[in-house]
Amino acid sequence: MTRHADATSRPGALPPDPRDIYGPRQRGILRALRLTRWGMIWERAARAFWPLAALACLIFAALALGGAVAVPPALLPWLVGAGLVALVAAAIRGGLRYRRVRGGEAVARLDRTLPGRPLAALADRAAIGGEGALWQAHLAQMQGRAATARAVPPRADLAPRDPYALRLAGLLALVMALIFGGAGQLGQGIEAIAATVGRPLAEAESPAGPSWEGWATPPAYTRRPTIYLNALAEGEALELPKGSAVSFRLYGEGLSVVQDVGGAVGEDPQAPGFRAERSGAIEVAGRRIAVSVLPDLAPVIRAGAAPTRRADGRLVQDFVAEDDHGVMAGRARIDLDLASVDRRFGLAVPPEPREAVDLALPLPRGGARRAVSGQLVEDLARHPWANLPVALVLEAVDGIDQTGSAAPMRVVLPGRRFFEPRAAALIELRRDLLWSRENAARSAEILRAITWRPEGFVTDDLYRDLRGAVGVLEGGGLSVEARDKLAEALWAAAIQLEDGGLADALERMKQAQEKLSEAIRNGASPDEIQRLMDELREATDAYTRMLAEQGRQDPAERFSRNQQGQQITGDQIQQMMDEIQRLMNEGRMAEAQQLLEQFNRMMENLQVTQGQGGEGQQGGEGDPSMNRLADTLREQQRLSDEAFRDMQEQFGEGRDGQPSGNAGDLAQRQRDLREQLGQQRGMLPGQGSEQGDQARRNLDEAGRAMEHAEQALRDGDTGGALQDQADAIQSMREGMRALSDMLGEQGRQAEQGQQPGQEGDEPEGQPGQGNRAGADGATRDRRPMLDPLGRQLDGNGNMIPLNDPLAEGADPAQRARDLLDEIRRRSGQRERPEDERDYLGRLLDRF
């Protein structure tokens, strides 16, 4: 038996080319050989050129981190020259040490990893009997071993060649430059090198004099980029916002900057600087740059309607603020309008000095804030000026502390109203004491009158407290601390008289809720949790019964759920309790606890109303379920618009596909909306009905779409998040339509005196009924039309008349959605004129 050409039989000889090795499994062998050869190429290149790579990383890091700008100009050319020499030397060294990888070397490395060297054996030739069975069996065995060949991973073995780990230092410097460096610093470094190195050449070619560089940096709140003055064309004017910082770097002697734009900043003659405060010109090295300073307009703020009083006594004030560069802060200043006060009784004496009330206006957390709108909600029911005339002034502040003020509004400061006579008297007495301590004697007389013959009117504890207050007032020398403490006691007494035992019932219900929440957090046994759940049910029933009794005696809207007066019925309270029970039975304790806290907040602001026959009424319009879903839908639409604007900013800054700085906040808000929707689903009425079950299924789909949108936002996939949010909005609209159909059907049955589920005839074409006649005599369902945000049109849910052109063809709601999508698409096209995109942006802000 001889080897092919006797090549591999000699020491140091290489196996034949792999293409000469034929077998039924040649493809796998060739793939392993190819990968092995590429690995050998990489390891030889790494061994030869690692000094060049490490040196290049260090030089790049120095430029990206601003090292070139920090080096003195006299030393910079020497450092640049040394770096170039080092790079060339490292490249020459690597080229001399690099050896090309031949195919036979890859075969030899791979063959050494296989038992019996099958690749070399397959290249052998038999001298005699090459066609024998024994030889064929030998070849088959070698082919089987060769088929198991796998690529040999490369091993550069750089540690012995780099004992000081210089390559790791270069890699670390590169990572730090990518994280903390910037394109601006890199560009400034390259420009500084070009200016410094090119200066001797320029002086040799033309005696034009030394060079210079200049930058204009607008204030940070304007969000404008820095302008490189050397890049301005000859004769081009420079427009800067007021307060922009202009700085220069002068290279060489005999240069100076002459300007009439603003006051100088700094004392270094080689790096003069100033702030642009007025229009003028800058002259440097024989070049004149005209500067036009753009005035920074003061912000403008406008108040909405006069402040309103919520049912719980809170102040509600709408406002709109605008600024050319963005509103930084806002506040509301409330001062007593002494001229409008009815100076009688306890208000006849001069008031004690009291500082004005300053309240911070709520502003968006992100965005440009060029145009913001919001609502101030503040509880001032306990303030001494509550229910007295005040002057309300709204102010907005921009980035340079310019203040814009709205016209003062003369209004009565909203506060809680008291209807029980003794409670109202205590509140008036409290107001008089806070107005001036000179009213102490008069207030003592009123307290004695209130506590005269207390039997059947006040409790023993309250009687003792009020008699103690009389003693304090008659003692003389009432201090500020004693007065404030007494005012707090009078407020608590008035609340007790006004609410009766309602406050105690509310406190018992809150304590039961807190006990149940703590048991859930501590992992209590199921029996204990069930016992506390039963206790909460009993406390809730007692609270609602007492509230209902007060509702018959006092029809005031003291316990409205919100400003719109939305109400909760007894059935919905029971459904929410059942949903909490279901979540606990399924072991979903975190969701049960969250729903429990929401239930407690809802019960604190509950109002029980009486309808016909003493039963609570519930309708389609103003139904709390529909109103809460509409609020969630609007919040989801607003979140989708913010995500869309965030994606536009990413495209504009070239960060497509990277998570933005707002991604975490948007994802968290999406999660909050999803959890809020899950709680609202558990409170939906009509469980077991066709429309009610359909509404729940639609909200489940919306919840899943919100979950996908949240994950897409965290991953930086804003486009995918927008699609998921659109799906969630569509599913919520469909769920609201199904719920509206169910509520409308219940309302029609109630009008006809039917029980839910009964059928009844209804005259066709009669306004205000559940059905209405069409042009062909057929009837069509009446359902409230929703705009793209899920809001009812016309205020009463009427459909578009039949003779309206929008009533034909496509669904009007779908047309509205299509128009909104088209507005979004056009606003994202950067080639459109800026005026048109601004108009489209205002449309998006409106809807």
Side-chain angles (χ1 to χ4, degrees):
M1 178 177 63
T2 61
R3 297 189 179 272
H4 181 68
D6 293 333
T8 58
S9 61
R10 298 191 302 271
L14 298 175
D17 191 278
R19 290 171 295 184
D20 296 337
I21 304 172
Y22 293 95
R25 302 177 184 179
Q26 179 189 8
R27 180 175 302 176
I29 299 173
L30 291 178
R31 181 170 59 252
L33 286 171
R34 188 182 306 111
L35 294 177
T36 301
R37 185 171 183 271
W38 280 110
M40 295 177 67
I41 293 174
W42 177 86
E43 70 180 32
R44 292 187 180 181
R47 293 172 183 174
F49 293 103
W50 71 263
L52 177 64
L55 188 59
C57 291
L58 291 173
I59 293 176
F60 176 81
L63 292 176
L65 295 175
V69 179
V71 173
L75 183 59
L76 186 59
W78 297 98
L79 292 178
V80 172
L84 292 177
V85 171
L87 286 174
V88 173
I92 294 175
R93 173 189 177 277
L96 295 176
R97 294 195 175 192
Y98 180 77
R99 292 188 302 108
R100 185 174 63 88
V101 179
R102 292 178 293 175
E105 293 175 328
V107 173
R109 172 173 287 194
L110 181 62
D111 203 16
R112 283 195 297 269
T113 63
L114 300 174
R117 301 280 183 102
L119 299 182
L122 290 175
D124 290 343
R125 295 292 184 270
I128 300 174
E131 300 298 331
L134 182 60
W135 178 254
Q136 296 301 324
H138 170 68
L139 291 181
Q141 183 182 17
M142 293 298 105
Q143 288 177 355
R145 294 181 180 179
T148 63
R150 296 294 182 269
V152 181
R155 293 183 57 188
D157 292 332
L158 296 181
R161 296 172 173 81
D162 181 19
Y164 298 104
L166 298 179
R167 66 192 188 283
L168 300 181
L171 182 60
L172 178 61
L174 177 62
V175 173
M176 298 297 289
L178 294 177
I179 295 176
F180 299 105
Q185 291 178 326
L186 181 62
Q188 292 180 7
I190 295 175
E191 291 168 357
I193 292 174
T196 304
V197 175
R199 184 171 58 198
L201 299 177
E203 291 176 351
E205 294 176 359
S206 174
S211 61
W212 59 273
E213 285 186 294
W215 299 269
T217 305
Y221 70 90
T222 63
R223 297 177 176 83
R224 292 194 177 190
T226 299
I227 301 175
Y228 185 55
L229 301 184
N230 298 67
L232 295 176
E234 190 69 29
E236 181 180 356
L238 179 62
E239 290 187 350
L240 295 176
K242 186 177 181 180
S244 298
V246 183
S247 59
F248 289 88
R249 182 175 292 275
L250 307 178
Y251 306 109
E253 302 295 335
L255 277 182
S256 63
V257 176
V258 179
Q259 54 86 21
D260 57 355
V261 176
V265 177
E267 300 178 355
D268 187 358
Q270 296 300 118
F274 53 89
R275 293 198 176 274
E277 301 293 341
R278 54 189 175 274
S279 299
I282 302 174
E283 295 185 2
V284 53
R287 181 176 177 183
R288 187 177 187 275
I289 302 175
V291 178
S292 176
V293 174
L294 304 176
D296 191 336
L297 302 179
V300 177
I301 186 170
R302 297 183 298 276
T308 57
R309 184 189 67 86
R310 282 199 343 189
D312 56 1
R314 292 178 181 267
L315 164 74
V316 179
Q317 177 62 60
D318 297 325
F319 67 91
V320 177
E322 299 176 355
D323 187 69
D324 48 359
H325 295 300
V327 179
M328 293 294 105
R331 59 178 176 265
R333 181 181 177 87
I334 303 175
D335 208 344
L336 180 66
D337 186 7
L338 189 59
S340 302
V341 176
D342 186 4
R343 304 294 297 277
R344 296 187 299 168
F345 308 115
L347 304 180
V349 300
E352 294 182 0
R354 190 174 295 273
E355 294 182 357
V357 179
D358 278 326
L359 303 174
L361 297 180
L363 298 176
R365 288 176 291 181
R369 292 185 181 178
R370 291 188 177 90
V372 298
S373 60
Q375 186 180 74
L376 173 65
V377 180
E378 193 70 25
D379 185 6
L380 298 176
R382 298 192 181 192
H383 196 274
W385 297 339
N387 298 314
L388 290 178
V390 294
L392 173 63
V393 179
L394 300 181
E395 297 178 349
V397 183
D398 64 4
I400 57 175
D401 294 332
Q402 294 185 117
T403 301
S405 302
M409 292 187 295
R410 308 290 177 178
V411 297
V412 174
L413 184 64
R416 178 171 177 175
R417 295 182 295 178
F418 289 81
F419 299 90
E420 207 279 335
R422 291 165 299 164
L426 290 179
I427 291 299
E428 182 177 350
L429 184 150
R430 174 181 178 271
R431 182 204 63 188
D432 295 345
L433 283 176
L434 293 174
W435 179 269
S436 175
R437 282 171 287 173
E438 296 180 14
N439 290 319
R442 178 178 180 274
S443 300
E445 294 178 1
I446 296 175
L447 275 180
R448 280 197 300 268
I450 293 175
T451 55
W452 185 62
R453 293 184 179 181
E455 297 81 3
F457 292 97
V458 296
T459 63
D460 293 340
D461 294 338
L462 181 59
Y463 173 77
R464 285 192 295 269
D465 292 342
L466 295 179
R467 293 303 298 180
V470 172
V472 172
L473 293 174
E474 292 179 342
L478 187 65
S479 64
V480 175
E481 293 77 9
R483 180 201 62 185
D484 294 341
K485 186 176 180 180
L486 180 58
E488 187 65 24
L490 291 174
W491 177 270
I495 293 294
Q496 184 175 351
L497 288 172
E498 180 75 7
D499 295 342
L502 187 64
D504 295 335
L506 176 61
E507 185 62 26
R508 287 194 299 271
M509 187 181 68
K510 292 176 63 176
Q511 291 178 359
Q513 184 268 337
E514 292 174 358
K515 291 179 182 178
L516 181 57
S517 297
E518 184 176 359
I520 293 175
R521 288 193 301 267
N522 297 335
S525 63
D527 294 340
E528 183 179 358
I529 291 179
Q530 185 59 49
R531 180 181 62 80
L532 294 175
M533 184 67 189
D534 295 338
E535 182 180 338
L536 177 61
R537 286 181 184 272
E538 294 175 1
T540 303
D541 293 341
Y543 178 65
T544 52
R545 284 196 305 270
M546 190 171 298
L547 193 62
E549 292 175 359
Q550 281 207 356
R552 288 193 293 269
Q553 299 170 0
D554 181 9
E557 51 179 14
R558 291 175 297 153
F559 296 96
S560 294
R561 178 170 172 77
N562 57 22
Q563 191 176 0
Q564 287 74 27
Q566 301 173 2
Q567 299 165 2
I568 302 296
T569 65
D571 292 340
Q572 290 172 318
I573 295 175
Q574 186 62 40
Q575 288 177 5
M576 194 168 185
M577 298 288 288
D578 293 341
E579 179 67 13
I580 296 173
Q581 182 74 60
R582 182 183 69 82
L583 293 174
M584 291 192 301
N585 293 340
E586 295 177 358
R588 299 158 62 180
M589 294 302 180
E591 299 179 39
Q593 182 177 356
Q594 189 173 12
L595 187 57
L596 190 61
E597 294 174 356
Q598 180 185 358
F599 172 77
N600 187 49
R601 292 192 298 269
M602 178 191 73
M603 293 301 295
E604 289 181 3
N605 298 308
L606 180 65
Q607 173 191 11
V608 175
T609 59
Q610 299 297 319
Q612 297 178 358
E615 299 295 335
Q617 300 297 315
Q618 176 180 339
E621 292 184 28
D623 180 79
S625 301
M626 287 290 292
N627 291 329
R628 287 191 295 270
L629 287 175
D631 292 340
T632 304
L633 180 60
R634 281 190 288 271
E635 289 297 326
Q636 179 61 71
Q637 183 65 60
R638 188 177 297 112
L639 179 61
S640 178
D641 292 340
E642 292 184 20
F644 178 76
R645 286 192 289 269
D646 190 65
M647 184 178 67
Q648 284 183 309
E649 294 177 0
Q650 285 182 270
F651 277 113
E653 298 175 3
R655 297 184 290 108
D656 183 23
Q658 301 178 6
S660 69
N662 300 329
D665 179 61
L666 295 176
Q668 183 59 40
R669 290 171 58 189
Q670 184 65 77
R671 179 191 179 115
D672 295 342
L673 280 178
R674 175 170 61 85
E675 294 176 352
Q676 179 179 335
L677 181 65
Q679 296 168 3
Q680 293 169 357
R681 180 199 176 281
M683 297 175 57
L684 286 183
Q687 186 172 4
S689 64
E690 180 180 356
Q691 295 95 335
D693 292 343
Q694 180 62 41
R696 284 174 171 81
R697 288 193 294 271
N698 291 332
L699 295 188
D700 285 340
E701 295 176 1
R704 286 190 292 271
M706 288 180 176
E707 184 176 5
H708 296 158
E710 175 193 347
Q711 187 60 43
L713 288 171
R714 296 190 189 279
D715 296 340
D717 182 13
T718 312
L722 288 174
Q723 181 60 48
D724 293 328
Q725 289 172 339
D727 296 339
I729 291 172
Q730 180 64 26
S731 298
M732 289 181 64
R733 288 186 181 129
E734 294 173 357
M736 293 177 64
R737 291 192 184 99
L739 181 61
S740 177
D741 290 343
M742 183 196 68
L743 297 176
E745 182 65 25
Q746 292 178 356
R748 290 193 295 271
Q749 292 176 357
E751 291 175 3
Q752 298 171 6
Q754 301 175 3
Q755 296 296 326
Q758 294 180 348
E759 296 181 358
D761 298 331
E762 182 176 356
E764 296 182 357
Q766 186 174 347
Q769 302 299 323
N771 298 329
R772 53 191 273 167
D776 55 356
T779 60
R780 292 197 288 175
D781 272 348
R782 170 190 163 188
R783 65 175 63 175
M785 291 300 300
L786 305 176
D787 68 355
L789 301 183
R791 298 173 292 197
Q792 295 183 3
L793 300 178
D794 300 334
N796 55 8
N798 291 332
M799 293 184 65
I800 298 176
L802 295 177
N803 56 359
D804 194 300
L806 289 179
E808 303 176 1
D811 180 22
Q814 182 61 43
R815 286 196 59 187
R817 289 191 292 271
D818 294 340
L819 288 174
L820 196 59
D821 292 340
E822 180 64 15
I823 292 174
R824 287 198 186 98
R825 185 186 66 82
R826 294 189 181 185
S827 65
Q829 295 175 349
R830 311 294 296 182
E831 64 274 8
R832 291 184 176 274
E834 184 177 358
D835 293 342
E836 180 181 353
R837 285 189 284 112
D838 290 343
Y839 172 72
L840 296 174
R842 289 195 298 272
L843 288 179
L844 288 176
D845 291 339
R846 181 177 179 83
F847 295 102

